[in-house]
Amino acid sequence: MKYVIAIFQPDRLNDVMARLEQKEIHLVTVTNVMGRGRQKGVAAVYRSHKEAGSLLRKVKIEIAVNDEYLQQTIDAIVAGAHSGEIGDGKIFVLSLEECVRIRTSETGSVAIG
Amino acid sequence: MKYVIAIFQPDRLNDVMARLEQKEIHLVTVTNVMGRGRQKGVAAVYRSHKEAGSLLRKVKIEIAVNDEYLQQTIDAIVAGAHSGEIGDGKIFVLSLEECVRIRTSETGSVAIG
Amino acid sequence: MKYVIAIFQPDRLNDVMARLEQKEIHLVTVTNVMGRGRQKGVAAVYRSHKEAGSLLRKVKIEIAVNDEYLQQTIDAIVAGAHSGEIGDGKIFVLSLEECVRIRTSETGSVAIG
Amino acid sequence: MSELRRGLRPALRLGAAIAVLLAASPAAAQDGGIDKGDTAWVLVSSALVLLMTPALAFFYGGLVRRKNVLSILMQCFLCLSLMTILWVMFGFSLAFAPDALGGLVGGGDYFFLRGVTFEPWGSTTIPGQLFMVFQGMFAIITPALMVGAFAERMKFSAICLFMGLWLLLVYCPVAHWVWGGAGGFFGLGGDGALDFAGGTVVHINAGVSALVASLLLGRRQGYPTSTSPPHNLPFAVLGTGLLWFGWFGFNAGSALAANEQAVNAFVTTHVATAAAALVWGGLDWMRHKRPTLLGVITGAVSGLVAITPACGFVSPLGAICVGGGASLVAYFAVVKLKPRLGYDDSLDVFGVHGVAGIWGAIATGLWATSASPNSTVDGLFYGNPAQVLIQLKAVAFTIVWAAVVSFVLLKVIDLVLGLRVGEHEERIGLDLTEHREVAYTLVD
Amino acid sequence: MSELRRGLRPALRLGAAIAVLLAASPAAAQDGGIDKGDTAWVLVSSALVLLMTPALAFFYGGLVRRKNVLSILMQCFLCLSLMTILWVMFGFSLAFAPDALGGLVGGGDYFFLRGVTFEPWGSTTIPGQLFMVFQGMFAIITPALMVGAFAERMKFSAICLFMGLWLLLVYCPVAHWVWGGAGGFFGLGGDGALDFAGGTVVHINAGVSALVASLLLGRRQGYPTSTSPPHNLPFAVLGTGLLWFGWFGFNAGSALAANEQAVNAFVTTHVATAAAALVWGGLDWMRHKRPTLLGVITGAVSGLVAITPACGFVSPLGAICVGGGASLVAYFAVVKLKPRLGYDDSLDVFGVHGVAGIWGAIATGLWATSASPNSTVDGLFYGNPAQVLIQLKAVAFTIVWAAVVSFVLLKVIDLVLGLRVGEHEERIGLDLTEHREVAYTLVD
Amino acid sequence: MSELRRGLRPALRLGAAIAVLLAASPAAAQDGGIDKGDTAWVLVSSALVLLMTPALAFFYGGLVRRKNVLSILMQCFLCLSLMTILWVMFGFSLAFAPDALGGLVGGGDYFFLRGVTFEPWGSTTIPGQLFMVFQGMFAIITPALMVGAFAERMKFSAICLFMGLWLLLVYCPVAHWVWGGAGGFFGLGGDGALDFAGGTVVHINAGVSALVASLLLGRRQGYPTSTSPPHNLPFAVLGTGLLWFGWFGFNAGSALAANEQAVNAFVTTHVATAAAALVWGGLDWMRHKRPTLLGVITGAVSGLVAITPACGFVSPLGAICVGGGASLVAYFAVVKLKPRLGYDDSLDVFGVHGVAGIWGAIATGLWATSASPNSTVDGLFYGNPAQVLIQLKAVAFTIVWAAVVSFVLLKVIDLVLGLRVGEHEERIGLDLTEHREVAYTLVD
Ligand SMILES: Nc1ncnc2c1ncn2[C@@H]1O[C@H](COP(=O)(O)OP(=O)(O)O)[C@@H](O)[C@H]1O
Ligand SMILES: Nc1ncnc2c1ncn2[C@@H]1O[C@H](COP(=O)(O)OP(=O)(O)O)[C@@H](O)[C@H]1O
Ligand SMILES: Nc1ncnc2c1ncn2[C@@H]1O[C@H](COP(=O)(O)OP(=O)(O)O)[C@@H](O)[C@H]1O
């Protein structure tokens, strides 16, 4: 099982979610984050006090999937989040050792979906 | 060492935290997240414009534990978050390679607690 | 590749970011979290109703790095976040299996930076 | 306000006098005893009282959880709209038309505002329509006060039905007894119960009904162990600031003239509120080693509530006692009584409006002084113990009526619609389940 | 308000009469027909109308995305500052000085307030300077209304230029025709088009220009599929509460006196708003099985818009129809018309202000009654069908002028500065790219 | 306002005249020279000034970090409550009773409001009690202004003590010199220093004391490198909107009558604020290629501050200069002076209130014109250079007194209680450590 973490532009969230739906990947956790990447943040100014390269709003999604779903998950995210511009973001894949569904206490692959 | 990530209903947070206390698991990091799961979100409506299956508020907790604590951590979370209803959420376990306590620069198992 | 997660005091964020800059680690994702640690939270009181040991604001940063960068990443974080006081926080290191840059679809080490 | 009326007479004789004085000129005839200054002040006061309902919405809305804040605001806007329409159609008449059912309520003479003109109202110097709309603002905020007791668990449909009926069957009768009835209180009020701006009609009425509602509704899930803190305290503070501001229209506006009595009401309102805020803050400080902001604003509101019936009758120094005392009793009710009895009056409507309201009504009987402008009555501390009993009687009547009628209404509605949302809805939150909306975006 | 003026005369004759009456005393000479009560009321009304612009800023600001909320607030504060200066320098004169260009606009007599004194304005009993500043508040909020149509994509520099020119070339002329011109509407208005507080000048004017702007600007990225919900609905509700409060100054203040007419305007404004809120809520309830708060506040604003031209001329019961009808037409425009035509009027400025404004102007011709204080005109339902045509003509004139001039202005500005920010800027959000600020910290 | 008083006389002679005129009727005797219109206006103005303190709380609260927002609101509510009680007990008397200590301060004649009646105050036409409460609102907001300098690091207990003593030992004496003293300024003011609504008493006083406080407190942790941006800019904007609204009561209300002078103050206040907002926005635009909203609202407040002493004496065009100039000097102070000197006046109380206040006091001496209603004094640009010196002297007196007394007070309190919270408390934030509360829930 894999634990996929993707960070991308907030305004892409709807597209990404839609793409995942299509691939039947329904379960997703979304978090509001800020990111500093290639795309240098615009400096904010408060009463002429410059805030060094401020962080930009990004959104992070986490998806636990079974190995066979990994590729299409990545594809769906890329398809939804890609704009070709700096700031598009990243996808990270970690290996997932165990998964438990709280409602049923099922564990392992079955619990993921 | 393991890195435990659990996502569940916000109103269960207090119960889960209490259960963890009992099991002497004091250190926890909590994040505000939104989730799309089995439990289909209720569609929100703004000036009659329907927002496709909106995300639901969930809470995510992260706990780094030594292997011997893993099971009781999971049990505590399940005990606190379980309601038997759709939307109860999930627990994910990743393997943790290293841990550093910033205050003391201790590393490994000792740093976790 | 490693996936570094660090949790520390919010008011240390600027220092940590600066230190990371120095070490040429530019790409970071920041999240607003709450933590319960050694440093017991101060109990909040609402109309004399005590909120059991409330959680404290912390900030969490996530950094994906190539193995050779791991140590200096940790050092930078410790240097920026250390105050010697309880509440300084922790750094967690997970192994990262794969990384994809959405903009270019590059994968692996090259995609990280 | 038979009493208030009496209190006003001098001013009004004056108004009349002016009319006479000017009767010579064509102007006079045309103006017919309307005073521009008084009209300007009551126009402004009406606007100020209107603002109190959005203000209350934020005071309450800031104290609930994120997932329910819109439901609170919605219920307050329901009052703004529904009560207004009911008021112009039936409410005003039921409250202020000549007695029907032997003074239990007003008759239908003013239904649909028939016969409500722009001539001076009664012995005042403002147009009847202005008096109508000023009173209408009171009819909006009073039911809105109860919202704090239903919070986070009551069905919106049930709230609509309850609020509407409550206005007509609880508010209007009591308003008629106290302000609209010839004798008031079934003729008993003739002995002069004092309620300058609505201690009984507004606060005791709403506070007691709120208690009944919270008992019938039962506790929220997880109360008291795992209810969560105010989701946005600054909103509650904003609401308090606007309430303090608007309350000057509520209290000083009730003089229905820009006269000395209005000034007295203004000063006492301000002073009592300040004193109450200080006292609650002090109690917190002693009890928890820190003064809390929520305590201070709760105290301020308690002070505003308690001074409402008294503001036109007491002196500024008396007001300090009324306000300070209000925080003491409300603090006790909120901090000791509620946990002990274990009911879940979510935002302490009974503790703050009911208890401080009762205190205020009694305190009026203690500190009232005929030295106040246009006032003729003394309280206990000025040698007239009888007044306290008169006040107590008025309080008792109001409590009984509000409790009984509200109880019956809620029971019936429970059978018809059901009062409470489902467990699952309560967990998800009323904003999404009852109104299909989310207050704040987490990601956009 | 040639009509309004006429409406006022009685009251003013009265004012005069008093002056005469007092002429004996030294006081009189000195006071010169200024009425303290009227002055107090218009002073307060001016402050209330000022408050409407920050209120509007929050109504709009709460409905956009986090990344653009400051740009909305900024544009409203631009109006507060820039329009004020333009108004005292040129605007007031262009709107209220004696005819120039055959009545198309006012002349330069009052440039830089030359000749605007503290003597009673026209036949009123308030100082000319007070009339000037009261009207100035209208000149601030009217352009601000359009902000909702530009939202989330227009260049700030272009907005500054457009707003400034729009005030002088669109607002001032129309204001001159309706309120400032001898005959009004190129002398056509002489037949008595009714607009008590600004249905044509303010709402139709802004609503139509907003539509033109949204068409020329084009849609926001991702509209309509992936635009996001209001980032902070409570802010929008706060704005609505303050708008309702301030609108009493806007409408009742337009009587320019604390008289019966002001009271009538106050009552009808309040009642129409309540009715409109109820209707929109009801429509939501039927259509989506739940009443939404956004619906209720949108309805309330529609009601306020529609009653604006009518408030001084209709009865409280008539106001219920005007308000209820406003929600019906605005609901249709927002929910059916906009999606069908597919333009992106981001916050429904046209749907709410344009459409409800047009409805209000027509409705005035339907429900106007000479029974209202200081009013002499009847509408269709009171036996004077002609009035409807007169109203329609006024509406038509306003629509054409606003549409044509706004179109030209925007085209020119597009050439000079460009109207729209870059794709990348739009994605990042205007707060950061246009103003170098972030509304809320995520971590601090 | 010995000067102001003089300025008022005509109006008051008038008031008297009316009394005479009516003396025939029973009414008159009873009314004793109270004018309903003036009373209505000052009642409203008092409410408006009250609202300014919650408004200020949000203006400041939005600019600090999340973890300290409640501490700011709390300190403002402390002023609302504590200052009110101190004012009715001692403050009013110290400020407005006949001279004591040779005019340094007022005597004890009015302690506990003894002898403060409902008769017309001095030569005004409003009740004494109304004058008392109106002035009381000024005594609330003035100390509250200093909160911005203590922000994020001062002990609440120390603040309580300092604020209370500051009111009695700094505010009351200066208020007595300027407004309450026979000759004013130890008899020196007899030569007619102009301060219409509180430039010296309120803004210079608070601004200078704030500077002293920020110097004695020292910088916040991490200042200036890692202090964080405003946590909620919309709150600061909301506060500004409400301040602008309330300031009309502050300035135009200071005419103590609904007369031409009030109108002049209203107009100049509005115009100066607009001009100042534009100028600051323009400076930002030039300096950072973008106009910032924080800049615009800071400019607006600077304009409001600067016009305060001048509003009754200058013309609308003069007001543009006063306002525009205010932004120039305040901008310089905030952007250049503060960083250079390196003190941490967290929210620029000195830069905005102190510097713009001083500018305003001087500007009054430049643009004052006897052409303004009820005004008799000309400034430099109207041929009376002497007035500038008179203004400078008043400024100097105020600065010295405020600086010296505040310094001593703070030093003493530092010894008794300590001024500053611990490092750890500062890091966690004052909301939790000083008040046991959290402003916003992160998860609920
Ligand atoms: N190595 C990384 N570790 C953690 N977060 C990262 C990393 N690389 C990118 N991110 C996140 O992704 C966001 C987009 O990255 P960015 O470099 O701007 O995109 P791109 O690579 O397309 O230019 C960043 O703001 C940051 O939040
Ligand atoms: N595979 C997954 N990957 C990421 N998040 C998940 C996954 N499964 C569940 N979640 C999170 O858990 C929440 C609850 O899941 P849900 O399916 O509703 O619970 P249940 O399985 O009890 O029905 C979801 O809203 C989502 O945030
Ligand atoms: N084992 C852990 N699992 C998850 N989060 C942790 C863990 N240990 C610490 N944290 C996070 O780090 C924060 C600081 O930890 P704390 O124990 O207070 O620091 P210190 O170890 O320096 O005393 C905690 O509030 C919590 O959010």
Side-chain angles (χ1 to χ4, degrees), chain B residues 10 13 32 59, chain F residues 441-444:
Chain B
L13 183 59
N32 208 359
V59 47
Chain F
T441 51
L442 199 60
V443 285
D444 56 1

Side-chain angles (χ1 to χ4, degrees), chain B residues 2-4 25-30 61-66 96 99-104 106 111-113, chain C residues 6-9 33-40 55-59 84-92:
Chain B
K2 303 295 181 197
Y3 196 77
V4 180
I25 299 152
H26 301 294
L27 301 105
V28 184
T29 299
V30 182
I61 66 173
E62 288 157 283
I63 308 177
V65 291
N66 289 315
L96 175 61
C99 168
V100 182
R101 166 176 282 124
I102 293 170
R103 173 164 48 93
T104 58
E106 295 161 278
I112 266 197
Chain C
I7 295 142
F8 50 85
Q9 298 283 16
V33 300
M34 311 206 64
R36 182 175 73 183
R38 292 268 168 113
Q39 167 199 15
K40 286 270 150 292
L55 296 156
L56 294 177
R57 294 188 150 278
K58 301 279 169 179
V59 47
E85 276 177 47
I86 280 200
D88 275 0
K90 301 272 175 82
I91 303 172
F92 303 112

Side-chain angles (χ1 to χ4, degrees), chain D residues 2 102 177 182-193 390 393-394 397:
Chain D
S2 51
W177 309 342
F185 290 105
F186 306 94
L188 298 170
D191 40 33
I390 301 174
K393 193 173 61 188
F397 267 83

